[in-house]
Amino acid sequence: MSESPDCLFCKIINGEIPSKKVYEDDSVFAFEDINPVAPIHILIVPKKHIATLNELEDEDTELTGKIVQTAKMIAADKGINEEGYRLIFNCQEKAGQTVFHIHLHILGGRTFGWPPG
Ligand code: 5GP
Ligand code: ZN
């Protein structure tokens, strides 16, 4: 499904690079972050390669909703839905995006400050 050859997360999705998979279906893939910043730190990526949120097209609306619905499901599965969790999309360098295949961070298992640093 529309891979980009040099993309780290496309390689994780296709199994070329190993990951700790949390969930997969025909449109999304979720796996544990290699450098967790919270007791629960999971990334949800679309199988379709989209570099940043700026590249989202109208046809991706259902897919982006699916990513959030998947986060909700995983949060419940991990037992952090009632206490609370944080979802983050970083877009471009200034926001902290380092991998250019969109991904939703699910962070949970501790208290988070606001505003973020
Ligand atoms: P960003 O900074 O782009 O929002 O998030 C990228 C995330 O990908 C970071 O939290 C980083 O720890 C994670 N990451 C980078 N390389 C790998 C990898 O090879 N495997 C996994 N599982 N996570 C990675
Ligand atoms: Zn990709």
Side-chain angles (χ1 to χ4, degrees):
M1 190 187 292
S2 57
E3 289 182 29
S4 182
D6 296 324
C7 172
L8 175 66
F9 286 174
C10 284
K11 289 179 181 168
I12 285 179
I13 292 163
N14 71 23
E16 207 176 315
I17 292 175
S19 69
K20 290 185 181 168
K21 183 167 78 173
V22 173
Y23 176 78
E24 178 177 18
D25 64 23
D26 56 351
S27 60
V28 302
F29 191 93
F31 55 101
E32 292 181 11
D33 197 291
I34 203 167
N35 185 23
V37 299
I40 292 173
H41 188 171
I42 292 164
L43 303 174
I44 304 173
V45 300
K47 289 192 171 177
K48 175 184 179 184
H49 178 85
I50 301 169
T52 81
L53 293 179
N54 294 334
E55 277 71 47
L56 282 174
E57 297 171 0
D58 286 349
E59 67 180 30
D60 299 319
T61 300
E62 188 178 339
L63 181 58
T64 51
K66 175 70 181 295
I67 291 168
V68 176
Q69 293 283 7
T70 303
K72 172 193 141 182
M73 181 195 69
I74 290 172
D77 193 53
K78 296 291 181 186
I80 54 172
N81 54 330
E82 296 297 336
E83 66 187 36
Y85 57 96
R86 185 167 287 180
L87 302 182
I88 299 170
F89 276 112
N90 292 322
C91 182
Q92 299 283 35
E93 284 90 347
K94 207 165 177 177
Q97 186 174 7
T98 58
V99 179
F100 288 83
H101 178 134
I102 63 168
H103 46 281
L104 181 60
H105 295 255
I106 309 175
L107 297 171
R110 67 169 170 87
T111 300
F112 299 96
W114 191 264

